[in-house]
Structure formats: structure tokens, C-alpha cells
Amino acid sequence: MSSKPSGGRGAGYGWRWALAGLVAVVALALAVWPREGDDNDVNSGRERSTRAASGVSDELRAAAGLSACPQPARGPGGNGPLAGITLECLADGRTVDLAAVLAGKPALLNLWAYWCAPCAQELPYLQQFAQRAGNAITVLTVHSDPDEAKALSRLSGLSVKLSGVLDADARVRTAVGAPAVLPVSVLLRADGSVADVVVRAFNGVDDIANTVAGELGVAA
């Protein structure tokens, strides 16, 4: 009976260990190698986490059917008292750089809350005005209360589809120096400066149109 030399057995084990080491190195390289789409996946995950943290479901947002928030225009970012303020878009929960999305066009910001009766009367007028004005001016609602779910339900009940943001800490009101009452409408020039702060409820579409034309020169 013969047997393999001990040296051959040692060489076989050596090759096995070398091969195992090579496989481990390749696996490690594949694990850390950057892959196309990873950044998008991470960003999407962060957005989903942000929306989940707000406590508002995608179903509730979909039922409200709000218009998407404005997108930043090309060119320099926005200036004025709203510079640096980021808020959550009611339509999809994404973060909105307020000054950036309003830059380059006159704007009407309507500060309201779900519990405000005069706000509920005024919001449908604002939607009608926005439809009349078209692209000449940006009309954005600013819910000045932390209860986002009730804001969406209120807008849904009023059939108001205007784009809007959540301002849980009343940062817009503080930035423009408005009093702690609602509703308040802030009229902004295209450069981001404040033309007027209207501390009352509008009584109709013509009232809004006349006020905007007088302060911003926008006809609707």
C-alpha cells in the first residue's frame, strides 16, 4: 500500500488557502465598489423616512390632491426675509427652500390654519384668483400650525388644490414681521422683498386681484 508524500498534501492545502483568500478579497472589493444609482437609492430612502416621520400617510396626501410646490428657477437663489427658510411641501412631504422657489416672480403667500374660520372662507377665493392670474404670480398657502393631517383634511373638504407648505413654527410670520393673527397674506416682489403684509381676510376674488395689482402691478 502506498501513500502520497506529505509534501504534496501541504502544497494542496496551500493552494486551497490561497484560493480562499483571493475569493475573500474579490468579495470585499465588490462590496465597497461604488455602484450607479446608490446615491439615488440613499436619497429616496431619506425622503421616505422624512415623510414617514411627519406622521402623514401617502394616502392622505393623495386624497388631498394638492398641486406640487414650485421648483427653484435657474439662476441666483432667492433673497429677502425668507432666505434660508426651508419648509415641508404639503403635497409630497419634500423639503422646500422657500426663497429659492419664489425667486424671479411676484408671489402671494397666504398664512392660514385649519382651525381658522375666516381662512376657510378666503381659501377658495385664493384658488379662483390663482386660476385667473395664471403664471403671472405664485400663490402659495402656508399652514401656520404643526398639525399637517388636519391641514390636508381641511383643504380636501374645501376642494382647495393650491400648492402649500407646512410652517409649524410660524417662521414665515416671524420673518416678515406679521402679527400673531390669521389669516395674513404676504405680497412679495420678484426680488424677494416684501411689498405688503395684508392682515385681514380677502372678501372675494376681485378684492385679491385689486390688492395684488395695486401692490405688485400684476393684473388678473
Side-chain angles (χ1 to χ4, degrees):
M1 182 180 291
S2 65
S3 63
K4 294 181 180 179
S6 60
R9 182 179 302 173
Y13 284 130
W15 278 108
R16 291 176 186 174
W17 281 111
L19 181 59
L22 180 60
V23 170
V25 170
V26 172
L28 179 61
L30 290 175
V32 301
W33 190 265
R35 295 185 296 274
E36 184 179 359
D38 280 357
D39 290 343
N40 292 334
D41 292 343
V42 170
N43 291 335
S44 297
R46 288 173 180 169
E47 289 169 0
R48 286 194 296 270
S49 297
T50 299
R51 291 197 292 271
S54 71
V56 174
S57 67
D58 290 337
E59 290 75 16
L60 183 57
R61 295 191 196 278
L66 302 184
S67 299
C69 288
Q71 296 295 315
R74 293 182 180 179
N79 298 313
L82 301 183
I85 295 179
T86 57
L87 299 175
E88 178 187 314
C89 181
L90 290 174
D92 54 21
R94 297 175 186 269
T95 299
V96 173
D97 183 327
L98 205 53
V101 301
L102 298 175
K105 185 189 296 187
L108 188 163
L109 305 187
N110 181 252
L111 281 57
W112 72 288
Y114 72 89
W115 42 260
C116 168
C119 300
Q121 296 175 348
E122 179 184 57
L123 282 165
Y125 297 144
L126 287 163
Q127 177 160 285
Q128 294 173 44
F129 168 75
Q131 291 169 346
R132 274 174 49 173
N135 292 326
I137 186 171
T138 299
V139 179
L140 186 73
T141 68
V142 181
H143 189 245
S144 305
D145 182 278
D147 199 326
E148 185 177 9
K150 289 183 179 178
L152 291 169
S153 295
R154 187 62 158 162
L155 291 171
S156 181
L158 294 170
S159 297
V160 170
K161 307 298 183 182
L162 290 168
S163 59
V165 293
L166 179 70
D167 187 10
D169 301 318
R171 297 173 64 192
V172 172
R173 187 192 74 203
T174 301
V176 301
V181 297
L182 294 173
V184 169
S185 290
V186 182
L187 303 181
L188 298 173
R189 302 182 183 92
D191 64 1
S193 62
V194 176
D196 194 18
V197 176
V198 182
V199 189
R200 64 177 179 85
F202 291 115
N203 58 32
V205 181
D206 289 338
D207 185 14
I208 302 173
N210 293 336
T211 303
V212 169
E215 296 295 338
L216 296 175
V218 176

